[in-house]
Amino acid sequence: MLTRRMLVFAAGSTIALAGTAALAGVAKELMGTRVVHWSETKPAGSGDVTWRVYFDAPTSTLLNLGLRATTLAPGATPHPVRPHSRPIESVLIVKEGTLEVTLGDTNPKVVRLEPGSAVFLSSNQWHALRNPGKAPATYYEVDWISPGMNGERQF
């Protein structure tokens, strides 16, 4: 015969197991030291914007660390032309071509980055990117989410 106590225990165990399963589906495995060769990355996207992801995972000190290479066709932008912001921080480094970076929303400043140039985008910095050149532009982007940032996961 089932008692009320047994039913409460069973219900609590089921909820706990469901929560653990859901957490396992959300949380990624911590990334340790990793080497990724260009030949191991797979191009994604199509047409005017393609990218290759080197990694996108939590580390022992960051909630997430991402590295990708993006190539823009002449005149292309990786996201809406209107400046937008994200709660993460990132660094962009131009490998080849020219990258036009618009900083700010109400009084935007446009900066052109040549190969070897870099820009740090702080958390919630309004920005837009575009390739103003006549040849493809490729840049590397490193972004991260650290504890205490606006994008922090809640477990």
Side-chain angles (χ1 to χ4, degrees), residues 77-121:
T77 180
H79 37 67
V81 176
R82 177 166 164 60
H84 69 283
S85 67
R86 302 183 302 169
I88 64 173
E89 296 174 321
S90 59
V91 172
L92 307 178
I93 304 168
V94 179
K95 177 185 179 223
E96 60 190 13
T98 303
L99 188 64
E100 186 177 84
V101 181
T102 302
L103 300 171
D105 186 35
T106 55
N107 188 16
K109 176 182 178 183
V110 178
V111 180
R112 283 193 177 208
L113 302 177
E114 305 297 333
S117 300
V119 61
F120 168 70
L121 297 172

Side-chain angles (χ1 to χ4, degrees), residues 17-137:
L17 286 173
T20 302
L23 182 60
V26 171
K28 297 178 188 176
E29 184 177 332
L30 287 182
M31 178 173 59
T33 301
R34 181 178 295 178
V35 174
V36 179
H37 296 279
W38 179 261
S39 60
E40 297 169 357
T41 64
K42 304 295 181 226
S46 62
D48 291 346
V49 182
T50 57
W51 62 89
R52 293 172 180 260
V53 176
Y54 287 84
F55 40 81
D56 185 20
T59 70
S60 61
T61 59
L62 295 172
L63 297 172
N64 202 74
L65 176 64
L67 172 61
R68 72 198 129 275
T70 301
T71 300
L72 304 176
T77 180
H79 37 67
V81 176
R82 177 166 164 60
H84 69 283
S85 67
R86 302 183 302 169
I88 64 173
E89 296 174 321
S90 59
V91 172
L92 307 178
I93 304 168
V94 179
K95 177 185 179 223
E96 60 190 13
T98 303
L99 188 64
E100 186 177 84
V101 181
T102 302
L103 300 171
D105 186 35
T106 55
N107 188 16
K109 176 182 178 183
V110 178
V111 180
R112 283 193 177 208
L113 302 177
E114 305 297 333
S117 300
V119 61
F120 168 70
L121 297 172
S122 63
S123 177
N124 299 311
Q125 167 69 56
W126 287 90
H127 67 279
L129 307 172
R130 187 177 79 85
N131 174 2
K134 295 181 180 176

